[in-house]
Amino acid sequence: MITFMNNSDSEEEPCNERTSLMSAESPPVPSYQDGLQASEAGEAQAHRRRAGGGCNPNNPAGGERSDSGVPVRESTSDNEEEELTLKYGAKHVIMLFVPVTLCMIVVVATIKSVRFYTEKNGQLIYTPFSEDTPSVGQRLLNSVLNTLIMISVIVLMTVFLVLLYKYRCYKFIHGWLILSSLMLLFLFTYIYLGEVLKTYNVAMDYPTLFLVIWNFGAVGMICIHWKGPLQLQQAYLIMISALMALVFIKYLPEWSAWVILGAISIYDLMAVLCPKGPLRMLVETAQERNEPIFPALIYSSAMIWTVGMAKPDTASRGPRQQRWDAAEDGRRNHRSPSHADSQPSETSPGPARPITSVEELEEEERGVKLGLGDFIFYSVLVGKAAATASGDWNTTLACFVAILIGLCLTLLLLAVFKKALPALPISITFGLVFYFSTDNLVRPFMDTLASHQLYI
Amino acid sequence: MGAAVFFGLAGIAFGPALALVLLTVAAEPLRVIVLVAGAFFWLVSLLLASLIWFISVHLSDREDARLQYGLLIFGAAVSVLLQEAFRFAYFKLLKKADEGLALISEDGRSPISLRQMAYVSGLSFGIISGVFSVINILADSIGPGVVGIHGDSPYYFITSAFLTMALVLLHTFWGVIFFDACERRRYWRLGLVVATHLLTSGLTFLNPWYEASLVPIFIITFLMGLWAFITAGGSFRNILKCLSCKQEDDSRVMMYSALQVPLEE
């Protein structure tokens, strides 16, 4: 699930105040009226940007309340909102390309080097049917049954989570999340480290191992569930997604994995878009309560920095940040203390902000959020392609490009629709299409060409 | 074979591409997106070409080696034509995107020009084409083995790497020339680009007679490079100016912002 962080209704007021203030300040110099109007429009836009990165663009009240003497601004304001979104859109795409690529690189590198994750060592209890059957039909049936069981488990757990959230059993949810991240950060890391050391035949004594795992895990728990530098938190989220993806790659049987990938993208589509879908209800409930969604489930690319404040007006910034915090989607709750100058306080004074002239150079960069499940399933697809495509790198690369393009398209749709969207369907569809077609069609063609050293 | 061969081949094949990407593309998000989307378009063209080849192979007699070789040539030609067709399709898409970006931008100009997009799209086609041609060879070169032990040429690896480098550069140049030709509707230039692509691909059929294939391909690369340079607006004077590192007098008028109220402490 993928969301923007700048949808909020309560930001109309700062926008209105700013634009109306800006319009009162416009000096009427006839000779460069056009230039000034354009620059005012730009400044109004910039202020809206500064007001917390993108007010609600479907906000006619803001335009109306500004000075009617400059009507051109209102018509351009929508275009500028779009341009703002698109300008930030390209950056957001890259902010998500990088972690997705890193996660996939970790998974593919591990798959290609560590034998353990490609060996068949049993199956999870969620996929009880074995695929070692002689006939194709039986194998297909078994994989479909495995998928049904796996998807129902996932649906049940999601519905359970949503119910817990709805009935405010926060302690239970937190305990559950902490337990699962404990398991990932300690147990799976231990196994992973063990296998990597085995592969490279490096010896490590238990005290060192304990120290390494303990530090890694403890810092990870703190970063993910409490506070930490943003990049460290992002790195940990990438690592646990990669570990989870590796577990899936190892323990899901071949055909089941592909059918599960297909089924889960359909489920993602329904869960996020249908009115009664569990993920949508989760998002809406979080929005209603103005609460952030659990940090252990979402990767956030948010960056906030302040650039050369003429006067560090923390008092004035505080309420706005706090309003932004509270009023946004309710999905982000991690600000790296190193970036934010003032932790938003819960009891903030009213909007007694000074005139925001051009001196206030604070910039807030909005980010996009991507659910960790999306990372995991992208990496499962690429990892499975790397594991099973008969040693062929072309398939892996084709799947990688397909997933990135799917992510790009999803972000484009996000910029258009501005609400939470499922990030799996487009990418997984492209990935699956490219996997099967590259493996079966392109690979023989390229191999035959390469054997004659022909280039196309 | 081994790490030395691997790194050497990778450096030869992708050195220029990596340098170009790091220096010109990596810093700008829009260019990175154009790069990845270009790779996607090339992949789709390859998919279709492979489909056609696959169907033709399955419909034909597998035992006949000459027929299979003929079908391979046919498949390669179809692939080249489809690549150029998809380059045209990508041009159309980028043109529309350029117009869209220009429409919604503040000052009426899009943040990326069509020429930059031409260059990046050519580079993307080149990189993905080169990667798909050579990555399996690179992966094999890490392991043990003797090249050409069954009587093939022992220079297989290094010539593949050089061919890949030429291909990457060629695609970049073709991208620039192609987009410019489409933009100015000089369709004979388009035809020439397609013809040189077919020629280059055809020359690789002369492998392992490397004098006849590598040398002409590099000559073609150099000529295409010159042509792309001139198309992009370069000239001898530009080179001299660039090399002499002279600062140009900035004849633009500096605009000062309006008088500001002094900060009160």
Side-chain angles (χ1 to χ4, degrees):
Chain A
M1 189 179 48
I2 192 168
T3 55
F4 258 143
M5 297 181 344
N6 56 358
N7 290 345
S8 69
D9 287 311
S10 58
E11 284 192 284
E12 292 176 15
E13 262 145 69
C15 294
N16 299 343
E17 283 188 350
R18 264 171 240 271
T19 48
S20 53
L21 283 170
M22 276 314 297
S23 65
E25 281 177 9
S26 60
V29 181
S31 53
Y32 13 154
Q33 188 75 28
D34 295 340
L36 258 175
Q37 279 199 352
S39 70
E40 273 161 12
E43 268 169 357
Q45 183 54 29
H47 273 276
R48 218 176 282 150
R49 202 182 306 161
R50 286 175 211 143
C55 310
N56 194 340
N58 309 321
N59 163 18
E64 279 157 20
R65 261 195 255 170
S66 63
D67 193 6
S68 58
V70 196
V72 68
R73 206 178 305 133
E74 281 75 51
S75 59
T76 55
S77 64
D78 279 336
N79 284 344
E80 284 156 2
E81 268 309 326
E82 278 179 38
E83 186 253 332
L84 165 72
T85 312
L86 223 56
K87 203 188 269 181
Y88 279 148
K91 240 185 253 186
H92 293 159
V93 173
I94 304 303
M95 285 200 278
L96 282 184
F97 270 12
V98 173
V100 169
T101 309
L102 281 174
C103 192
M104 288 198 236
I105 287 177
V106 171
V107 170
V108 169
T110 311
I111 292 280
K112 288 285 186 185
S113 53
V114 179
R115 289 264 158 264
F116 174 73
Y117 287 103
T118 42
E119 288 163 3
K120 289 273 0 159
N121 263 349
Q123 298 180 198
L124 297 170
I125 50 163
Y126 307 117
T127 53
F129 294 94
S130 157
E131 283 192 11
D132 279 330
T133 53
S135 77
V136 170
Q138 182 71 21
R139 189 173 185 182
L140 195 60
L141 181 69
N142 280 355
S143 52
V144 171
L145 289 171
N146 278 339
T147 308
L148 284 173
I149 297 178
M150 185 81 168
I151 298 287
S152 5
V153 168
I154 291 180
V155 170
L156 274 170
M157 295 217 283
T158 317
V159 167
F160 185 47
L161 179 74
V162 172
L163 282 175
L164 285 176
Y165 189 65
K166 231 175 152 64
Y167 293 113
R168 299 180 189 261
C169 309
Y170 293 137
K171 288 212 177 357
F172 194 97
I173 298 178
H174 278 281
W176 185 6
L177 287 175
I178 286 181
L179 261 176
S180 63
S181 38
L182 262 176
M183 186 180 70
L184 274 170
L185 281 171
F186 286 98
L187 180 65
F188 287 177
T189 311
Y190 170 71
I191 296 174
Y192 179 78
L193 191 60
E195 292 306 320
V196 169
L197 291 175
K198 256 189 246 180
T199 306
Y200 291 106
N201 204 15
V202 174
M204 189 186 261
D205 51 315
Y206 275 114
T208 314
L209 182 72
F210 172 73
L211 210 65
V212 167
I213 300 277
W214 170 252
N215 280 314
F216 181 83
V219 176
M221 289 302 291
I222 293 176
C223 273
I224 295 175
H225 290 282
W226 191 50
K227 289 192 232 235
L230 183 69
Q231 283 181 325
L232 197 60
Q233 185 197 17
Q234 291 173 338
Y236 269 105
L237 289 173
I238 293 175
M239 280 190 264
I240 63 176
S241 309
L243 284 172
M244 198 67 215
L246 285 169
V247 166
F248 277 137
I249 294 173
K250 179 172 172 63
Y251 288 112
L252 285 179
E254 294 246 355
W255 290 21
S256 307
W258 298 114
V259 185
I260 285 178
L261 276 172
I264 201 139
S265 31
I266 300 176
Y267 164 69
D268 196 31
L269 191 67
M270 294 197 309
V272 177
L273 293 180
C274 290
K276 283 294 168 194
L279 290 177
R280 181 166 170 161
M281 284 176 48
L282 186 72
V283 165
E284 283 173 357
T285 318
Q287 251 176 318
E288 274 169 39
R289 296 183 194 171
N290 279 336
E291 273 166 11
I293 289 194
F294 320 105
L297 293 177
I298 298 254
Y299 174 95
S300 136
S301 60
M303 302 176 301
I304 302 125
W305 67 85
T306 56
V307 177
M309 281 287 284
K311 191 152 93 170
D313 232 280
T314 50
S316 72
R317 251 185 321 123
R320 188 178 59 249
Q321 267 187 349
Q322 190 270 338
R323 197 175 305 116
W324 175 38
D325 229 2
E328 78 163 300
D329 243 37
R331 214 152 289 114
R332 179 187 47 83
N333 73 338
H334 269 287
R335 300 278 199 93
S336 58
S338 57
H339 288 299
D341 279 352
S342 58
Q343 283 300 332
S345 56
E346 288 309 316
T347 62
S348 60
R353 272 186 320 283
I355 292 179
T356 54
S357 61
V358 295
E359 287 156 319
E360 186 179 324
L361 296 172
E362 177 187 295
E363 281 211 12
E364 289 171 353
E365 188 77 31
R366 296 285 185 154
V368 203
K369 293 177 191 250
L370 188 60
L372 286 194
D374 301 324
F375 274 87
I376 293 174
F377 285 108
Y378 292 163
S379 308
V380 166
L381 193 143
V382 175
K384 266 272 184 241
T388 61
S390 40
D392 191 46
W393 281 90
N394 289 345
T395 317
T396 314
L397 284 165
C399 291
F400 168 70
V401 173
I403 288 183
L404 285 187
I405 289 294
L407 189 60
C408 199
L409 284 174
T410 312
L411 281 167
L412 194 68
L413 286 177
L414 184 69
V416 168
F417 290 113
K418 292 186 178 53
K419 59 177 205 166
L421 285 181
L424 280 182
I426 305 181
S427 288
I428 299 282
T429 313
F430 279 175
L432 287 175
V433 165
F434 270 75
Y435 171 77
F436 286 110
S437 49
T438 312
D439 202 29
N440 297 318
L441 299 174
V442 176
R443 190 173 48 85
F445 185 45
M446 296 304 288
D447 280 348
T448 320
L449 285 175
S451 65
H452 295 272
Q453 208 173 8
L454 301 175
Y455 280 70
I456 49 169
Chain B
M1 315 264 287
V5 174
F6 171 75
F7 282 111
L9 293 180
I12 293 176
F14 296 116
L18 189 67
L20 286 173
V21 165
L22 283 179
L23 288 176
T24 56
V25 174
E28 295 273 319
L30 268 177
R31 291 182 202 167
V32 175
I33 296 176
V34 172
L35 193 80
V36 178
F40 180 73
F41 271 71
W42 188 88
L43 279 176
V44 176
S45 83
L46 182 66
L47 209 76
L48 289 175
S50 313
L51 183 66
I52 295 175
W53 175 80
F54 192 78
I55 293 177
S56 70
V57 160
H58 274 262
L59 289 177
S60 70
D61 177 21
R62 301 278 192 96
E63 304 303 316
D64 191 349
R66 280 200 55 200
L67 177 63
Q68 294 301 316
Y69 194 68
L71 281 178
L72 195 64
I73 298 180
F74 165 69
V78 165
S79 168
V80 167
L81 293 173
L82 275 173
Q83 282 179 48
E84 298 302 327
F86 271 82
R87 206 198 292 272
F88 184 71
Y90 197 39
F91 165 75
K92 285 277 177 216
L93 179 71
L94 284 180
K95 189 113 201 293
K96 222 174 265 190
D98 189 42
E99 286 163 13
L101 282 173
L103 263 180
I104 62 174
S105 83
E106 273 178 16
D107 49 3
R109 285 181 304 143
S110 97
I112 184 172
S113 78
L114 197 62
R115 282 212 180 135
Q116 289 177 7
M117 289 203 271
Y119 158 70
V120 178
S121 79
L123 188 59
S124 71
F125 268 51
I127 290 178
I128 193 75
S129 164
V131 165
F132 260 62
S133 306
V134 97
I135 192 100
N136 284 326
I137 300 174
L138 280 181
D140 286 336
S141 75
I142 301 186
V146 178
V147 188
I149 198 170
H150 289 294
D152 301 303
S153 160
Y155 303 115
Y156 183 80
F157 279 171
I158 195 150
T159 49
S160 296
F162 274 108
L163 274 173
T164 310
M165 174 174 83
L167 198 66
V168 170
L169 292 173
L170 271 173
H171 269 288
T172 314
F173 302 146
W174 282 329
V176 173
I177 301 170
F178 193 98
F179 276 46
D180 183 73
C182 288
E183 184 75 11
R184 296 202 213 161
R185 299 175 195 281
R186 307 257 182 94
Y187 293 118
W188 61 271
R189 293 190 184 184
L190 260 185
L192 206 52
V193 166
V194 178
T196 29
H197 195 168
L198 280 168
L199 178 65
T200 310
S201 185
L203 278 172
T204 58
F205 280 80
L206 293 175
N207 284 330
W209 186 20
Y210 294 122
E211 297 85 357
S213 67
L214 262 186
V215 175
I217 287 182
F218 269 91
I219 294 176
I220 294 178
T221 311
F222 181 68
L223 290 173
M224 287 288 130
L226 271 179
W227 189 9
F229 182 67
I230 296 173
T231 310
S235 65
F236 192 56
R237 259 194 318 144
N238 280 350
I239 301 182
L240 284 181
K241 224 189 315 183
C242 174
L243 287 175
S244 68
C245 300
K246 237 190 298 200
Q247 292 283 21
E248 234 184 54
D249 284 328
D250 205 342
S251 54
R252 292 171 297 176
V253 175
M254 298 283 282
M255 284 180 50
Y256 288 89
S257 54
L259 289 173
Q260 294 173 352
V261 178
L263 295 172
E264 302 182 84
E265 286 302 320

